[in-house]
Amino acid sequence: MTTPATPPNLFDLPNPDDPNAVAVLMARVQGVVDKQKPLLAPLAEAFVARGESLYLVGGPVRDAMLGKVSHDLDFTTSARPEVIREILDAWGEKTWDTGIEYGTVSAVKHGQQVEITTFRADLYDGVTRNPEVTFGDTLDGDLVRRDFACNAMAVELLLIDGTFAPQFHDPVDGLEDVLHRRLDTPQAPEVSFRDDPLRMLRAARFVSQLGFAVAPRVFDAMRDMAEEITRITAERVQAELDKLMSGAQPWEGIDLLVQTGLAEHVLPEIPALRLERDEHMQHKDVYRHSLTVLRKATELEDPEEEPDLKLRWAALLHDIGKPATRAVKEGGGVSFHHHEVVGAKMARKRLKALKYPKHVIEDVGQLVFLHMRFHGFGEGQWTDSAVRRYVTDAGELLPKLHKLVRADSTTRNPKKARRLQRTYDHLEERIAEIAAKEDLARVRPDLDGNEIMQILDLNPGPEVGKAWKYMKELRLERGELDHDEAVAELKAWWEQERSNA
């Protein structure tokens, strides 16, 4: 099966078989327009006065049907860019035209941003995703060139005898696609994706964000044209992947990329996991396990906060080192020793290729590196020293590491699952106990560099750094020492170093 037979209903959509279903969606659109009437009516009047038409279009219309609040309002119009700018200069509080060469002018009024674009009828060269910008003359011509039918609906902001009278336009049956939670293209998908291959990633993103499923012909085109994604820059790929990973169901979007072959070009480490069976033999393969960990990590986030992209990326990538470290054990089974070390390097390399910021690369890599640390200790075997090292190595990533490790427990054995969670509960209790006595977030040697130089009569140099590292290890191993004890330990270590020299 390539796509879910019944996609998840992430939003309160009516049953498509309900005879009132269309009326429900149209009432939602009308409600949004009515709510924005104080803003929209004067804007529409300004366009009508210039002999131009104005349409609320795309995402805001779709989101209204889904019961979502769209914070940005996008419009299309028959007016040319210079006319749009003149109207917005008079209507808005602030106007900017950085996109005017593409027909787009933006403005803000009463805290609400609007973006208005002239009808487009672009031509693509089939080599890049950058079109030859051509302005169109009809709404239908503009809508048919959009990515998906559910984004190709419009509400015309009409004034009839001076009365605000919005009118719905849906030339490519986008409303039906919303009702059936389906992603389909206005044109043949082969034409749409050849024009702009990034739309294939957008399909996966909408699967994650909206809970829609791609139409069979869209799936087939994505599979057949996957290599076309190599025409897209790493920066644009990264932006779409982040939107996908920020969605309500990122595992579904990732799965679509893998099933269609797109992941082979943008995240090849993920489909590679399908070749490896999980060492516990409780999952179909490591790939499915990784999607499960991503789902569980997402569910552990605070729903009131923004999606935790570092946690989600670490959850998806945490086992990518397994294919390179797989070894068959005597007597049967397989092992993946040090896959977290290999995986951390691979994660950093992939995120770097996708042009992620350095802090994202390092933090995700560190989470992958640390995700197995917990499993190196059995129940009740966490010494104070081990707890200090765990907290120190995680640093500010500790809350994310807690969630990642808990999400990584995907065993189907209820007894084992309870035991693992109970063991981690115990570790968090130990961390809290020691933190109550020591400042675990700032574990430092009991003697600083200046004191070390004074006690050992050293000048700044490598020997001071070596002594500092020794005192840091001593602090992690034994906890806080009083000053005299710390000095004695430093001198004893120094005598040993000199005798070995």
Side-chain angles (χ1 to χ4, degrees), residues 288-317:
R288 288 293 163 189
H289 163 74
S290 297
L291 293 188
T292 300
V293 175
L294 174 57
R295 175 180 60 78
K296 293 183 66 175
T298 300
E299 292 169 351
L300 287 172
E301 292 177 7
D302 185 340
E304 299 300 318
E305 296 182 359
E306 292 294 314
D308 190 337
L309 279 172
K310 290 180 181 178
L311 172 63
R312 294 185 182 195
W313 273 116
L316 178 63
L317 301 176

Side-chain angles (χ1 to χ4, degrees), residues 141-157:
D142 178 89
L143 295 179
V144 76
R145 55 165 288 279
R146 293 178 179 260
D147 55 2
F148 298 103
C150 64
N151 297 330
M153 299 176 287
V155 177
E156 185 173 6
L157 304 180

Side-chain angles (χ1 to χ4, degrees), residues 421-465:
Q421 296 297 340
R422 187 169 59 246
T423 302
Y424 205 83
D425 288 342
H426 179 59
L427 171 59
E428 290 203 59
E429 291 168 2
R430 292 289 310 284
I431 291 173
E433 289 172 3
I434 296 176
K437 305 173 186 175
E438 310 172 21
D439 186 0
L440 288 181
R442 299 176 181 272
V443 173
R444 298 183 63 80
D446 294 293
L447 302 172
D448 64 24
N450 290 327
E451 290 175 298
I452 289 171
M453 287 189 289
Q454 183 178 3
I455 293 166
L456 300 183
D457 192 24
L458 294 174
N459 292 320
E463 290 177 324
V464 178

Side-chain angles (χ1 to χ4, degrees), residues 7 12 16 107 122 199 209 232 260 268 316 343 375 398 404 409 441 491:
D12 183 22
D122 299 338
R199 290 170 174 170
Q209 290 179 327
I232 305 301
T260 56
L316 178 63
H375 298 284
L398 186 61
L404 177 59
S409 173
K491 288 181 176 180

Side-chain angles (χ1 to χ4, degrees), residues 1-184:
M1 185 175 70
T2 56
T3 57
T6 304
N9 194 353
L10 297 184
F11 303 96
D12 183 22
L13 281 170
N15 188 314
D17 297 327
D18 184 340
N20 296 316
V22 171
V24 169
L25 297 194
M26 293 308 303
R28 291 177 178 178
V29 174
Q30 185 65 48
V32 168
V33 173
D34 288 344
K35 185 176 181 180
Q36 295 284 358
K37 182 178 177 180
L39 185 81
L40 299 181
L43 185 60
E45 186 175 5
F47 275 84
V48 170
R50 297 291 295 266
E52 306 289 358
S53 54
L54 181 67
Y55 304 82
L56 182 67
V57 70
V61 180
R62 178 204 66 216
D63 287 350
M65 292 183 177
L66 296 174
K68 290 177 60 181
V69 176
S70 187
H71 298 292
D72 295 329
L73 297 179
D74 297 328
F75 301 85
T76 189
T77 178
S78 58
R80 290 306 190 247
E82 295 76 13
V83 175
I84 300 173
R85 181 168 53 187
E86 291 174 10
I87 293 173
L88 290 183
D89 281 343
W91 173 84
E93 297 163 358
K94 179 181 179 183
T95 305
W96 56 98
D97 59 5
T98 51
I100 196 167
E101 64 179 304
Y102 299 103
T104 300
V105 184
S106 303
V108 64
K109 186 168 185 176
H110 303 324
Q112 175 65 62
Q113 180 176 325
V114 302
E115 185 174 283
I116 305 179
T117 303
T118 301
F119 292 156
R120 297 271 291 270
D122 299 338
L123 299 175
Y124 290 83
D125 60 13
V127 177
T128 69
R129 69 176 296 267
N130 299 318
E132 177 186 337
V133 176
T134 304
F135 299 131
D137 297 312
T138 67
L139 173 69
D140 287 6
D142 178 89
L143 295 179
V144 76
R145 55 165 288 279
R146 293 178 179 260
D147 55 2
F148 298 103
C150 64
N151 297 330
M153 299 176 287
V155 177
E156 185 173 6
L157 304 180
L158 284 172
L159 287 173
I160 300 177
D161 295 329
T163 301
F164 189 55
Q167 181 176 328
F168 182 64
H169 293 262
D170 184 18
V172 293
D173 293 329
L175 187 148
E176 281 296 310
D177 280 1
V178 172
L179 267 180
H180 289 87
R181 290 169 282 150
R182 178 176 59 216
L183 282 173
D184 204 351

Side-chain angles (χ1 to χ4, degrees), residues 124-434:
Y124 290 83
D125 60 13
V127 177
T128 69
R129 69 176 296 267
N130 299 318
E132 177 186 337
V133 176
T134 304
F135 299 131
D137 297 312
T138 67
L139 173 69
D140 287 6
D142 178 89
L143 295 179
V144 76
R145 55 165 288 279
R146 293 178 179 260
D147 55 2
F148 298 103
C150 64
N151 297 330
M153 299 176 287
V155 177
E156 185 173 6
L157 304 180
L158 284 172
L159 287 173
I160 300 177
D161 295 329
T163 301
F164 189 55
Q167 181 176 328
F168 182 64
H169 293 262
D170 184 18
V172 293
D173 293 329
L175 187 148
E176 281 296 310
D177 280 1
V178 172
L179 267 180
H180 289 87
R181 290 169 282 150
R182 178 176 59 216
L183 282 173
D184 204 351
T185 51
Q187 306 177 78
E190 292 81 4
V191 174
S192 183
F193 297 156
R194 189 172 294 110
D195 283 350
D196 186 359
L198 190 67
R199 290 170 174 170
M200 294 187 286
L201 284 188
R202 285 170 63 84
R205 186 240 289 190
F206 287 129
V207 165
S208 169
Q209 290 179 327
L210 305 179
F212 285 18
V214 296
R217 69 171 190 159
V218 171
F219 180 92
D220 291 343
M222 291 173 68
R223 180 195 58 207
D224 296 342
M225 302 177 68
E227 192 172 357
E228 293 287 315
I229 200 63
T230 58
R231 290 162 46 192
I232 305 301
T233 65
E235 291 84 355
R236 295 306 300 267
V237 170
Q238 180 222 111
E240 281 302 319
L241 287 177
D242 265 359
K243 293 174 184 176
L244 183 161
M245 292 293 283
S246 298
Q249 296 184 138
W251 56 93
E252 296 287 358
I254 292 295
D255 194 40
L256 179 61
L257 293 182
V258 171
Q259 297 299 326
T260 56
L262 278 159
E264 296 284 355
H265 303 285
V266 297
L267 287 172
E269 298 82 2
I270 303 306
L273 295 174
R274 292 181 298 177
L275 304 177
E276 303 299 327
R277 293 290 301 274
D278 184 81
E279 70 268 34
H280 302 299
M281 302 302 177
Q282 295 298 310
H283 301 275
K284 181 179 180 180
D285 53 28
V286 178
Y287 168 68
R288 288 293 163 189
H289 163 74
S290 297
L291 293 188
T292 300
V293 175
L294 174 57
R295 175 180 60 78
K296 293 183 66 175
T298 300
E299 292 169 351
L300 287 172
E301 292 177 7
D302 185 340
E304 299 300 318
E305 296 182 359
E306 292 294 314
D308 190 337
L309 279 172
K310 290 180 181 178
L311 172 63
R312 294 185 182 195
W313 273 116
L316 178 63
L317 301 176
H318 78 286
D319 274 349
I320 60 172
K322 282 189 171 179
T325 57
R326 183 179 186 274
V328 178
K329 297 188 293 187
E330 290 186 19
V334 295
S335 65
F336 303 97
H337 292 309
H338 302 304
H339 74 271
E340 71 279 12
V341 178
V342 174
K345 293 179 181 178
M346 292 173 65
R348 291 187 180 104
K349 183 177 180 180
R350 174 52 50 198
L351 295 176
K352 184 177 180 181
L354 288 169
K355 308 295 185 181
Y356 273 91
K358 185 176 180 180
H359 69 93
V360 174
I361 296 171
E362 291 306 315
D363 286 354
V364 172
Q366 184 69 350
L367 286 168
V368 173
F369 177 74
L370 292 173
H371 86 273
M372 288 297 293
R373 183 75 62 86
F374 163 73
H375 298 284
F377 297 87
E379 196 165 357
Q381 295 180 1
W382 281 85
T383 63
D384 288 358
S385 172
V387 172
R388 292 189 196 98
R389 291 178 188 278
Y390 192 77
V391 174
T392 300
D393 289 348
E396 295 181 353
L397 296 173
L398 186 61
K400 300 182 194 295
L401 183 60
H402 287 333
K403 293 174 184 175
L404 177 59
V405 174
R406 289 188 181 278
D408 194 26
S409 173
T410 61
T411 176
R412 296 177 184 175
N413 183 323
K415 185 175 180 181
K416 183 177 180 182
R418 286 193 298 270
R419 186 176 73 249
L420 284 170
Q421 296 297 340
R422 187 169 59 246
T423 302
Y424 205 83
D425 288 342
H426 179 59
L427 171 59
E428 290 203 59
E429 291 168 2
R430 292 289 310 284
I431 291 173
E433 289 172 3
I434 296 176

